[in-house]
Amino acid sequence: MTLRTRLTLLTFSVLLLTMLAFAGVAGTVLWRVELAAIARQVSAQADALLTVARQAPGPPQGATELLETEGITAVARVYQGSALRWSGGALGPDVLDPTFLTDQESRRTGEVAGYLIASRRAGEVTVQVGRSLTPLRGLLRRYALVAALTLLLLSLLAGALVAREVRRALRPLEALVRRVGQLDTPEPVPAVAERGEVGALARALDTSLGALRAERERETLFLASASHELRTPVTALLADLQYTLARERPPEDLLAALRRTERTAARLRQLTGNLMTLTRAQRLPDVPGPESWPPVDLLDLAGEAVDLLQPLASRRGTDLWLDGQPTPLRGDSALLGSVLENLIGNAIKFTPEGGRVQVQVTPLRGGAGRLVVEDNGPGFPSGTLTEAFVRGQADVEGFGLGLAVVREVVEAHGGTLTLSAAGGGGARAEVVLPA
């Protein structure tokens, strides 16, 4: 059964049982009240009949009038000793309460064989007055039947009203169910502004769907970057190997092919490292805030990157310099190290032989830090400063996955990356990281 059906049946059942219980309690109270009233009437009639029966022998005078109350006539018996002296009133059994005739009690009121009987004794005179309870029981049965039918109709009406309200209340929830099954639709999550549990659920689903969409976008972007960046070197490697293996080659050609293969493999290793760094940087905003990151010194990280890339700069005849002051920050040292390696590596790559690459680290006011990498190479081609941030831009040499990694890491740390032309020509990359 659906939730709407279960709620409606539950409400209907609880309401019906509650009203039946109330009707039962009311019927019980009514029975006891009427029984007490009849008991008072027959007791008064028995006391009055006993007084009249003791005044003179024979039939008691005016007994018929004594036995009638509110149009209802009781049945009465008068005994002299153990012999029946007089019987009158309504039709009834020959002996109303046989046990009282053999007992020594002087007063008794109770139910015997469907009659409520009041028995009194004074000397040799015994009086019994009774009223049949059959009319009262019939009245209560009719009351129960009418109450049951009335309560059933009221419960059905209330159940219909509850079903309508439940349907109206669950309509936003049904809309949420349909919306959850459509992750890619741009439509907003319904019932976000609703109050109560449905609104809270809608807001939670909205947050969850937003996180899922962001995760899917990251995965799609990662796959696109991986396929784009890996396609070219893999294709070049395969073509070079096929060309080399197409016919017999002298040893010097094979050695040259192996060296090209080594360079391509190194390029593939760098690309795979960048892809892993990019994935880690994209997930960095999902972890706790900067206060949970370990402290790092941007100058120390820059020194490690310079030491790592110094042999490459020496082979290309490029002067690589580091200048700056200790700049303590909080961040991921591996990711920030990839920023430095990518920026410095690009500067070395595009600086001609005899050129210069300057790395400068400067602490800023408030605990922030600035990293600047400048070279005196040819600088950025005209019109490429905006294209530099397009991941996998194939038409601009060097503007591939590396700068995308730099941007992702810097933004994940809450910083900014700015590319511009250096003062004396060349390229300038500036990174500002918050405290």
Side-chain angles (χ1 to χ4, degrees):
M1 290 187 295
T2 62
L3 177 60
R4 179 192 307 169
T5 304
R6 291 199 300 269
L7 288 176
T8 302
L9 289 178
L10 176 62
T11 305
F12 171 78
S13 302
V14 171
L15 184 61
L16 180 60
L17 291 176
T18 302
M19 290 193 293
L20 286 176
F22 176 78
V25 171
T28 301
V29 172
L30 177 61
W31 166 263
R32 292 184 177 180
V33 169
E34 290 296 323
L35 198 63
I38 295 174
R40 289 193 299 270
Q41 291 175 4
V42 296
S43 296
Q45 291 169 338
D47 292 336
L49 184 59
L50 179 61
T51 301
V52 173
R54 292 181 62 190
Q55 290 178 355
Q61 299 296 321
T64 303
E65 292 78 8
L66 291 176
L67 297 177
E68 185 177 350
T69 303
E70 299 177 354
I72 300 175
T73 303
V75 59
R77 304 288 185 266
V78 178
Y79 296 89
Q80 189 69 35
S82 59
L84 180 62
R85 171 179 163 184
W86 177 84
S87 65
L91 296 177
D94 294 338
V95 180
L96 296 179
D97 188 358
T99 60
F100 186 78
L101 299 177
T102 59
D103 291 341
Q104 300 301 317
E105 294 180 72
S106 61
R107 300 174 63 88
R108 180 190 296 174
T109 302
E111 184 179 350
V112 179
Y115 280 78
L116 186 61
I117 300 171
S119 301
R120 302 291 184 268
R121 178 182 289 116
E124 292 296 322
V125 180
T126 302
V127 173
Q128 292 185 341
V129 178
R131 283 265 301 271
S132 175
L133 298 178
T134 300
L136 179 59
R137 288 195 174 94
L139 175 64
L140 288 178
R141 281 194 295 269
R142 290 191 296 273
Y143 163 80
L145 178 61
V146 172
L149 293 176
T150 303
L151 295 181
L152 180 60
L153 292 175
L154 290 176
S155 298
L156 290 175
L157 178 60
L161 294 176
V162 169
R164 187 182 67 177
E165 290 301 315
V166 169
R167 186 185 307 111
R168 185 185 63 82
L170 292 182
R171 193 172 294 120
L173 188 60
E174 294 171 350
L176 282 177
V177 173
R178 293 191 297 269
R179 176 62 180 81
V180 170
Q182 302 173 354
L183 179 61
D184 296 325
T185 179
E187 297 179 1
V189 175
V192 173
E194 292 279 342
R195 296 181 179 179
E197 293 79 1
V198 175
L201 177 60
R203 289 186 288 273
L205 286 175
D206 187 40
T207 302
S208 300
L209 289 176
L212 286 175
R213 284 195 297 270
E215 183 66 23
R216 289 185 63 176
E217 289 174 0
R218 285 198 294 262
E219 291 176 356
T220 302
L221 203 55
F222 175 80
L223 291 175
S225 300
S227 61
H228 184 279
E229 294 295 329
L230 294 177
R231 181 179 60 221
T232 301
V234 169
T235 302
L237 177 63
L238 182 61
D240 196 13
L241 290 176
Q242 290 174 344
Y243 176 78
T244 303
L245 296 175
R247 60 184 178 84
E248 293 292 333
R249 301 285 180 182
E252 56 273 15
D253 288 350
L254 293 177
L255 181 60
L258 287 175
R259 286 173 178 171
R260 291 194 301 271
T261 302
E262 180 187 19
R263 289 194 297 270
T264 305
R267 172 62 176 161
L268 285 173
R269 183 177 63 183
Q270 180 184 3
L271 287 175
T272 54
N274 282 339
L275 286 172
M276 295 304 297
T277 302
L278 182 61
T279 303
R280 185 177 178 186
Q282 289 172 341
R283 295 185 179 275
L284 193 58
D286 298 332
V287 301
E291 66 276 358
S292 65
W293 293 343
V296 296
D297 192 322
L298 192 58
L299 182 62
D300 291 342
L301 294 178
E304 295 174 1
V306 168
D307 290 342
L308 178 66
L309 296 172
Q310 190 68 55
L312 175 62
S314 298
R315 287 198 303 269
R316 298 181 64 89
T318 302
D319 290 334
L320 177 59
W321 295 90
L322 171 64
D323 187 20
Q325 304 174 30
T327 305
L329 299 168
R330 286 189 176 273
D332 189 296
S333 59
L335 294 179
L336 293 177
S338 69
V339 169
L340 288 156
E341 292 172 15
N342 274 289
L343 292 179
I344 299 173
N346 276 347
I348 295 174
K349 179 179 178 181
F350 293 103
T351 300
E353 184 176 356
R356 175 186 178 90
V357 174
Q358 178 71 40
V359 181
Q360 186 174 16
V361 178
T362 308
L364 301 178
R365 184 177 302 176
R370 178 169 58 203
L371 165 70
V372 177
V373 178
E374 286 186 353
D375 63 65
N376 60 353
F380 294 105
S382 176
T384 61
L385 286 180
T386 56
E387 296 173 345
F389 294 105
V390 180
R391 185 179 305 174
Q393 175 62 252
D395 297 333
V396 184
E397 176 65 26
F399 293 166
L401 196 60
L403 283 179
V405 170
V406 172
R407 184 189 65 174
E408 293 282 354
V409 173
V410 171
E411 290 181 353
H413 283 77
T416 58
L417 169 64
T418 305
L419 301 180
S420 60
R428 183 178 191 272
E430 179 181 342
V431 174
V432 176
L433 296 173

